[in-house]
């Protein structure tokens, strides 16, 4: 019995930690690991990366040891951006054509990679890489796929049977009901869906998770700001209420963990300019101060 790999497709809204999950995996496992971005790949012969360049990054991560690279892991980010374009008369060089180019790569075959160049036509030696044991993890936000899932589940039924079998469906998180046919209607070709047999999703971050992200990690945003002010000789502290307010706003904006930074950035912007030149040695941020600063930013935006 030969054991074969099962490639993975991760879905999840922005800021839930898809890429971070892959980076943590890379640090934990002792195998070559590369992160590639699907948005830069175009059909062969066009300006942009060829599909083979994904493997080139893995070979570079393995210090050009092809044998080691053949047991590595590749994380392809933003896979939803190469979905088929709907109703276009132009050539789709970064959509369906890229998906077709990736078929052999994902399945496992001998791929010729130009080591040291961006194109096969650059007169450089080609290395043959067998991708049979390379695990591909693909991730994407698939923004708008909830509508496709809702159509399939018929959640917008109105009438006498409106509350029937649909009463158990969690409308707030439709991503958990994802199925291959939803990906097909989104714009992925059936061949590529078949080569990504493990289809899973990441839950949106709730208030408790966001609160922990804000304070607990070694490089959390709050700790970074305390360090920044420390450089100017100012002791910075935050109200617990203020941190709760930041989390509430992050949930409201639906930007996930990334939203935390932009909110704290907006609140702290004025203080970062004013405090170093003043004689203050302590700065305490309260909820009312945070509310005032965010309100001011909204008014400026309007």
């Amino acid at each position: 019995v030969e054991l074969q790999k099962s490639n993975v497709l991760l879905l999840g809204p922005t800021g839930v930690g898809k890429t971070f999950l892959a980076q943590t995996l890379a640090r934990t496992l002792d195998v070559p690991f590369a992160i590639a971005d699907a948005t830069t790949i175009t059909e062969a012969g066009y300006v942009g990366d060829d599909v083979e360049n994904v493997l080139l990054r893995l070979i570079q991560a393995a210090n050009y040891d092809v044998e080691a690279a053949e047991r590595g892991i590749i994380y392809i980010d933003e896979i939803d951006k190469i979905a088929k374009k709907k109703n276009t008369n132009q050539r789709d060089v970064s959509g369906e054509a890229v998906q077709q180019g990736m078929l052999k790569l994902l399945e496992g075959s001998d791929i010729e990679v130009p080591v040291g160049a961006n194109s096969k036509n650059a007169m450089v030696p080609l290395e043959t890489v067998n991708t049979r044991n390379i695990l591909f993890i693909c991730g994407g936000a698939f923004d708008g796929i909830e509508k496709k899932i809702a159509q399939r589940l018929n959640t917008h039924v109105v009438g006498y049977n409106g509350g029937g079998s649909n009463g158990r469906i969690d409308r707030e998180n439709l991503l958990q009901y994802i199925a291959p046919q939803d990906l097909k209607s989104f714009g992925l070709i059936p061949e590529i869906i078949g080569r990504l047999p493990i289809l899973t999703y990441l839950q949106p971050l709730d208030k408790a998770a966001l609160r922990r992200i804000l304070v607990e990690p070694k490089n959390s945003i709050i700790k970074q700001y305390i360090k920044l002010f420390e450089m100017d000789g100012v002791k910075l502290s935050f109200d617990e209420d203020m941190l709760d307010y930041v989390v509430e706003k992050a949930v409201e904006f639906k930007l996930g963990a990334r939203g935390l930074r932009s909110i704290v950035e907006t609140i702290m912007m004025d203080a970062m300019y004013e405090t170093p030149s003043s004689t203050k040695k302590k700065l305490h941020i309260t909820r009312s101060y945070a509310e005032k600063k965010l309100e001011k930013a909204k008014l400026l935006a309007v």
Side-chain angles (χ1 to χ4, degrees), residues 32 35 70 78 89-90 136 140 147 165 168 173 202 216 227 232 235-236 249 253 257 266 277 287:
I35 292 182
E70 286 178 347
E78 309 292 357
N89 301 322
Q90 298 162 328
F136 288 90
K147 288 177 190 162
S165 61
R168 294 187 297 275
N173 184 15
L202 275 76
E216 284 183 29
K227 180 75 178 164
D232 293 311
K235 190 171 187 288
L236 178 66
K249 286 290 164 194
F253 297 154
T266 309
S277 53
R287 180 177 177 131

Side-chain angles (χ1 to χ4, degrees), residues 292-302:
K292 231 185 287 175
K293 292 295 169 191
L294 269 188
E295 208 52 53
K296 182 184 164 191
K298 269 187 203 166
L299 290 170
L300 286 173
V302 171

Side-chain angles (χ1 to χ4, degrees), residues 108-155:
S109 60
D110 291 322
I111 308 280
E112 290 193 327
V113 183
V115 177
N118 280 350
S119 156
K120 282 184 173 178
N121 307 326
M123 305 296 286
V124 294
L126 297 174
E127 286 275 6
T128 303
V129 181
N130 190 307
T131 63
R132 198 181 63 198
N133 292 321
I134 296 175
L135 178 68
F136 288 90
I137 302 172
C138 300
F142 287 87
D143 192 33
I145 202 166
E146 287 90 351
K147 288 177 190 162
K148 314 279 182 197
I149 299 169
Q151 279 170 358
R152 179 174 57 81
L153 295 175
N154 216 4
T155 57

Side-chain angles (χ1 to χ4, degrees), residues 99-236:
Q99 291 185 51
Q100 288 164 353
M102 288 172 95
L103 294 178
K104 275 285 163 237
L105 191 75
L106 294 171
E107 186 180 31
S109 60
D110 291 322
I111 308 280
E112 290 193 327
V113 183
V115 177
N118 280 350
S119 156
K120 282 184 173 178
N121 307 326
M123 305 296 286
V124 294
L126 297 174
E127 286 275 6
T128 303
V129 181
N130 190 307
T131 63
R132 198 181 63 198
N133 292 321
I134 296 175
L135 178 68
F136 288 90
I137 302 172
C138 300
F142 287 87
D143 192 33
I145 202 166
E146 287 90 351
K147 288 177 190 162
K148 314 279 182 197
I149 299 169
Q151 279 170 358
R152 179 174 57 81
L153 295 175
N154 216 4
T155 57
H156 46 269
V157 172
V158 178
Y160 294 114
N161 297 326
S165 61
N166 300 320
R168 294 187 297 275
I169 290 170
D170 176 11
R171 290 163 193 244
E172 291 301 307
N173 184 15
L174 285 171
L175 217 54
Q176 60 188 303
Y177 307 110
I178 189 75
Q181 56 263 46
D182 303 319
L183 295 172
K184 185 170 180 278
S185 57
F186 188 83
L188 292 190
I189 58 176
E191 300 94 308
I192 210 161
I193 299 167
R195 284 166 173 82
L196 296 164
I198 298 178
L199 175 60
T200 186
Y201 67 98
L202 275 76
Q203 295 273 18
L205 297 171
D206 59 7
K207 282 186 181 178
L210 287 169
R211 183 73 162 74
R212 291 182 64 192
I213 290 166
L214 194 60
V215 183
E216 284 183 29
K218 187 177 75 173
N219 296 326
S220 74
I221 304 152
I222 295 298
K223 287 177 187 170
Q224 285 183 38
Y225 271 97
I226 289 169
K227 180 75 178 164
L228 281 169
F229 277 80
E230 212 175 86
M231 288 175 181
D232 293 311
V234 178
K235 190 171 187 288
L236 178 66

Side-chain angles (χ1 to χ4, degrees), residues 267-279:
I267 293 166
M268 299 303 297
M269 186 71 76
D270 291 350
M272 286 193 75
Y273 278 106
E274 292 158 8
T275 314
S277 53
S278 74
T279 53

